[in-house]
Amino acid sequence: MPPDDLRPNAPPSGAQRREEYVYVDVEGRPVLRVVRLSGGGSKRFWQEHYENGNWETGAVPEDERPLYHLPEVLAQVRDGGTVYVVEGEKDVHTLQAMGVVATTNSGGAGRWLPHHTRSLAGADVVVIADKDEAGLSHALKVARELREAGANVEVFEARIGNDVSDHVGAGLGLGDLVLVPAGIQDDFTRYIEFLDGLDPTLPTEIKFQMARVLLDEAEGDQVPWTSEGPARRGDDDQLFEALRAWRREQASTQGVPAFIVFYDRTLWDLVDRRPSNHQQLLGVWGIGPVKLERHGDALLALLWHDD
C-alpha cells in the first residue's frame, strides 16, 4: 500500500489548505501539485496531478515526478552554478529568497529517483540535510548517487534547528551551515548505532553531537573533514591559507559564501596535487570545465607564484 501522502484519496473534510507547491516539467508545464494542509492541530501533505487542464487528486507515476523548479535547476547546471538540494518545498523557498537556486523531490525523505540524479549529473551541488535520522540518511543517499553521476557534492546541515528554514529563521546565513563530517558520510550505519544507543530522552541536538564524538573516538579521532577543514598539515598551511584568502576575496566580490567558490576539500587537493596546467587542474576534486575557465589561471598563479 502506498504511503498516506501518495494515496489517491479525497482530502480529509474540514482541512484547510495552507500551501500549494507546483512541480513543472522541463518546458514549464504543470505536472503535479503538493498540497500542505493543516487542521485539528496537525498537518498533512498530499499530491495532485494535472490532467486535461484540471488538478485531480492522486500522484503521478514515479518516472514522471520532476525535481521542484526543474527549469531553473537545469539552467543553473548549464551555467556551471551551484544547486542546493533540500528536503521539502518550504526549504526551497527559504533558499530562493536568499538568491540561490534550490530544489527538492516530492514526497519527502526516501523518494529521490534516478532521473533526479540525471538532472544534476556533473553539477556542483550542496545537499542540506534535515537533522534527524531519516533526513540525514536521505541526504547522504542523494549525495552518494550524485557523486556516482559525476557531481561535486558536499553535505551540510543547519547550525541551529532541524532544517535550513530554522537556520535562516535564527538569523544565520549560508556561510554558517555546518559541514557533515566525512566520518559520518563514510560510516553512517555505525553512526546510527551510536545514536540509537543514547538516552532517548536527550534533546536531538545533544544526541547528534554525542554520537559524533563517539564515532570520532572509535576512528581514533581521525575525522578528515569538518566545518573548519582537515587537521593542519605543517608546511602546507601557508599555501592553504593563501588559497583561502583568495577564496574570501572571490566570495566577497561575487556576494556568495566562500564554499560556493570552492570547498575546503578542493583547496587541500590543490595543495596536495599542486597542478601545473589546466589539464591537471581538471583532476582536482571539485574543479570542472566551468570553474576551470573561471578560476584556472588565478589558481595556477597562486600555486606557483614563488617558483
Side-chain angles (χ1 to χ4, degrees), residues 11 39 60 74 91 93 96 102 106 123 138 149 157 195 206 210 213 224 258 283 285 292 296 302:
V60 300
L74 295 178
D91 287 350
H93 287 276
Q96 185 181 41
S106 61
H138 170 76
E157 64 186 11
L195 194 64
I206 294 177
M210 290 177 66
V213 171
W285 190 95
L292 176 67
L302 277 166

Side-chain angles (χ1 to χ4, degrees), residues 71-83 101 123-124 289-291 293-294:
E72 293 92 333
V73 168
L74 295 178
Q76 184 79 339
V77 173
R78 286 194 300 269
D79 292 342
T82 299
V83 176
V101 175
D124 288 334
V290 173
K291 289 197 173 181
E293 181 178 356
R294 188 177 298 162

Side-chain angles (χ1 to χ4, degrees), residues 1 7 20 28 39 42 85 103 146 150 156 170 176 207 244 276:
M1 180 178 293
R7 291 177 192 160
E20 296 179 354
S42 63
V85 175
T103 190
L146 287 172
F156 289 81
D176 300 309
K207 287 201 299 181
R244 288 187 72 186
S276 59

Side-chain angles (χ1 to χ4, degrees), residues 182-195:
I184 292 175
Q185 298 190 43
D186 295 339
D187 199 356
F188 181 66
T189 300
R190 196 174 191 188
Y191 172 70
I192 293 302
E193 289 175 355
F194 285 127
L195 194 64

Side-chain angles (χ1 to χ4, degrees), residues 3 6 32 59-66 106 110-116:
L6 298 183
L32 69 89
V60 300
E62 282 193 350
D63 60 0
E64 297 178 19
R65 298 175 193 169
S106 61
R111 305 279 173 72
W112 186 265
L113 300 168
H115 62 278
H116 297 154

